[in-house]
Amino acid sequence: TTIEGALKKMEEMIPKWISCMDRLPDPYVSCIVAYIDICGYSQLSVGFLKEDVTDWYCRWSEKIITGVTHWMPFPEPPKYEE
């Protein structure tokens, strides 16, 4: 039906978590990252990879984020009418 088609289209627009084992984003592209901190807690941050693609960096502090398991692209920004 039309409603099912619309729901499927909306679902496809929602960003999904991507395992770092499956794929990595392009260097310097900010994304949401999920990681396990040194105390074993799940955390979220905004991070990016540099060209060496071995370490994740926090977008705000540029400190290394360890334990990143998944990442997600940001959704499209809202559209503003002028």
Side-chain angles (χ1 to χ4, degrees):
T1 68
T2 305
I3 294 173
E4 290 173 348
L7 288 173
K8 183 173 178 154
K9 190 172 186 177
M10 287 176 59
E11 186 177 290
E12 290 171 357
M13 293 171 56
I14 298 171
K16 294 178 179 42
W17 288 109
I18 301 167
S19 170
C20 293
M21 301 282 274
D22 294 338
R23 182 166 57 99
L24 294 172
D26 291 333
Y28 301 102
V29 174
S30 292
C31 51
I32 304 166
V33 296
Y35 64 99
I36 307 298
D37 69 14
I38 60 172
C39 296
Y41 294 104
S42 295
Q43 302 287 340
L44 297 176
S45 187
V46 176
F48 66 96
L49 291 170
K50 291 190 178 180
E51 289 181 20
D52 60 13
V53 295
T54 57
D55 292 318
W56 286 89
Y57 295 84
C58 177
R59 175 52 68 192
W60 298 291
S61 68
E62 297 227 4
K63 292 183 180 178
I64 293 175
I65 304 172
T66 59
V68 175
T69 60
H70 292 77
W71 63 278
M72 178 188 300
F74 280 101
E76 290 294 319
K79 305 270 190 263
Y80 295 101
E81 294 183 29
E82 295 181 20

